[in-house]
């Protein structure tokens, strides 16, 4: 076989193997503080398609991370900043909320309007990256809202004035975390005194494992679509999250972004980042 024929056969073989089923797209967000690389999930296809379409058209370029809350998330991607994409900023993407994708640190979620005007939880084209914090096992396995409501009744029943005064001092001095820790510590006493159970029956082992190790934002689970994850560059997310912000959580020093899309074989992405793809009939 001569060289030209061999090259032609190799090219035909590569084309036949290099189908959309065999490759995936890696997104790189470049900022002045470093790069962030993302992989988008295949089981949130509408969000993935919308994000990649806008990214490839340059809609996200020169937008900013304009809402930054340390230990929670960084949000950006307001494509309405570009006049030519103003209409696209009104795009609504049907919710693709899955219990398989929780708000662990580094996950990519779709921003949306509140449930009062958006009961279907449709997503906008803006996105956020979870920064989050680490939680204790006790915090995750406790129905915090139910416990807090019971504690409020407990300290206002006229029989626990000293405890009420102490809690008021904690609240007025801004020691909210210390106050919450105290309430959680008192859970057994409150359960016995009020004959109530404050167990969080909806938490899963996967959530407990993630939120007690790498951390995240568990209160967002079930409310927003998570459609991808950071595979490189969490140190850049940390830097952005630590920026000084104004009263609206907008960084005092602007963080612009540009996006680049690259296509790679799925087995390479799996080898590099541990991303598992659904098995197809061919594999």
């Amino acid at each position: 076989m001569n060289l030209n024929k061999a090259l032609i056969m190799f090219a035909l073989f590569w084309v036949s193997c290099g189908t959309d089923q065999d490759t995936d797209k890696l997104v790189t967000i470049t900022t002045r503080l470093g790069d962030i690389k993302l992989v988008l999930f295949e089981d949130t296809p509408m969000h993935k398609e919308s994000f990649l379409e806008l990214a490839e058209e340059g809609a996200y370029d020169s937008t900013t991370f304009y809402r930054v809350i340390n230990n929670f998330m960084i949000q950006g991607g307001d494509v309405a900043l570009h006049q030519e994409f103003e209409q696209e900023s009104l795009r609504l993407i049907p919710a693709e909320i899955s219990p398989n994708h929780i708000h662990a640190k580094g996950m990519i979620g779709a921003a949306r309007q509140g449930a009062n005007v958006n009961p279907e939880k449709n997503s906008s084209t803006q996105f956020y990256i979870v920064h989050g914090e680490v939680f204790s096992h006790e915090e995750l396995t406790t129905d915090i809202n139910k416990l807090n409501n019971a504690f409020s009744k407990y300290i206002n029943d006229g029989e626990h004035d000293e405890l009420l005064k102490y809690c008021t001092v904690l609240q007025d001095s801004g020691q909210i975390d210390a106050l919450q820790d105290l309430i959680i510590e008192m859970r057994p006493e409150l359960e016995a005194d009020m004959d109530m159970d404050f167990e969080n029956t909806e938490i899963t082992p996967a959530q407990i494992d993630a939120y007690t190790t790498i951390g995240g934002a568990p209160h967002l689970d079930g409310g927003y679509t998570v459609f991808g994850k950071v595979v490189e560059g969490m140190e850049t997310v940390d830097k952005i999250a630590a920026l000084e912000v104004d009263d609206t959580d907008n960084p005092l020093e602007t963080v612009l972004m540009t996006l680049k899309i690259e296509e790679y074989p799925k087995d390479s992405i799996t080898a590099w980042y541990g991303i598992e793809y659904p098995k197809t009939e061919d594999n």
Side-chain angles (χ1 to χ4, degrees):
M1 181 183 298
N2 62 42
L3 179 59
N4 287 338
K5 188 174 182 180
L7 290 173
I8 292 172
M9 291 188 66
F10 175 79
L12 290 173
F13 174 80
W14 177 254
V15 169
S16 66
C17 292
T19 65
D20 289 342
Q21 288 186 336
D22 300 319
T23 62
D24 197 8
K25 293 181 178 179
L26 184 68
V27 181
T28 301
I29 300 176
T30 297
T31 75
R32 63 180 175 81
L33 295 174
D35 290 350
I36 306 167
K37 293 185 183 292
L38 321 175
V39 170
L40 308 183
F41 299 138
E42 296 203 326
D43 57 357
T44 53
M46 290 181 288
H47 285 73
K48 182 172 185 173
E49 180 182 1
S50 175
F51 187 93
L52 291 175
E53 175 189 351
L54 291 173
E56 288 168 344
E57 291 176 354
Y60 290 118
D61 292 346
S62 297
T63 64
T64 67
F65 284 105
Y66 70 90
R67 185 174 178 230
V68 170
I69 304 176
N70 198 18
N71 297 323
F72 180 33
M73 60 90 206
I74 62 174
Q75 180 176 332
D78 182 5
V79 302
L81 294 175
H82 302 303
Q83 186 174 3
E84 65 268 34
F85 294 109
E86 190 170 358
Q87 190 63 34
E88 296 298 340
S89 71
L90 304 177
R91 177 189 301 181
L92 293 179
I93 309 163
E96 296 178 295
I97 299 170
S98 168
N100 296 324
H101 300 314
I102 63 175
H103 284 82
K105 184 173 184 176
M107 291 296 175
I108 314 301
R112 64 169 176 81
Q113 288 186 303
N116 58 324
V117 295
N118 179 27
E120 297 85 6
K121 300 177 182 178
N122 293 325
S123 302
S124 74
T125 55
Q126 295 186 34
F127 64 94
Y128 58 88
I129 303 175
V130 178
H131 191 234
E133 59 183 320
V134 175
F135 293 81
S136 69
H137 186 276
E138 290 74 19
E139 287 176 291
L140 294 171
T141 55
T142 299
D143 187 328
I144 297 294
N145 289 333
K146 186 177 178 182
L147 177 64
N148 287 347
N149 289 334
F151 181 77
S152 178
K153 294 178 182 178
Y154 180 79
I155 63 173
N156 286 287
D157 64 2
E159 298 180 10
H160 304 92
D161 290 343
E162 290 302 314
L163 179 60
L164 175 59
K165 291 178 183 177
Y166 178 63
C167 292
T168 301
V169 169
L170 290 178
Q171 180 172 315
D172 290 347
S173 60
Q175 300 182 66
I176 305 302
D177 289 343
L179 176 57
Q180 188 65 76
D181 289 343
L182 171 64
I183 297 172
I184 292 174
E185 288 176 9
M186 290 189 62
R187 173 182 164 182
E189 180 180 340
L190 291 168
E191 286 182 328
D193 182 83
M194 308 181 78
D195 191 25
M196 297 178 69
D197 182 4
F198 302 113
E199 185 73 16
N200 180 2
T201 58
E202 297 182 358
I203 198 76
T204 67
Q207 288 172 300
I208 293 173
D209 180 61
Y211 295 132
T212 58
T213 53
I214 63 173
H219 65 285
L220 297 181
D221 288 347
Y224 298 79
T225 297
V226 174
F227 66 99
K229 66 181 294 185
V230 174
V231 293
E232 276 188 59
M234 272 309 298
E235 66 277 6
T236 300
V237 176
D238 291 339
K239 291 176 184 178
I240 296 172
L243 291 172
E244 187 176 357
V245 297
D246 62 20
D247 292 340
T248 65
D249 298 318
N250 197 359
L252 298 182
E253 297 184 29
T254 301
V255 182
L256 293 166
M257 69 178 82
T258 56
L259 273 63
K260 179 175 67 173
I261 311 296
E262 298 172 289
E263 192 163 354
Y264 294 102
K266 287 180 178 177
D267 55 3
S268 295
I269 294 176
T270 298
W272 297 336
Y273 306 119
I275 300 295
E276 296 293 337
Y277 291 96
K279 298 294 184 181
T280 64
E281 294 181 1
D282 294 333
N283 55 20

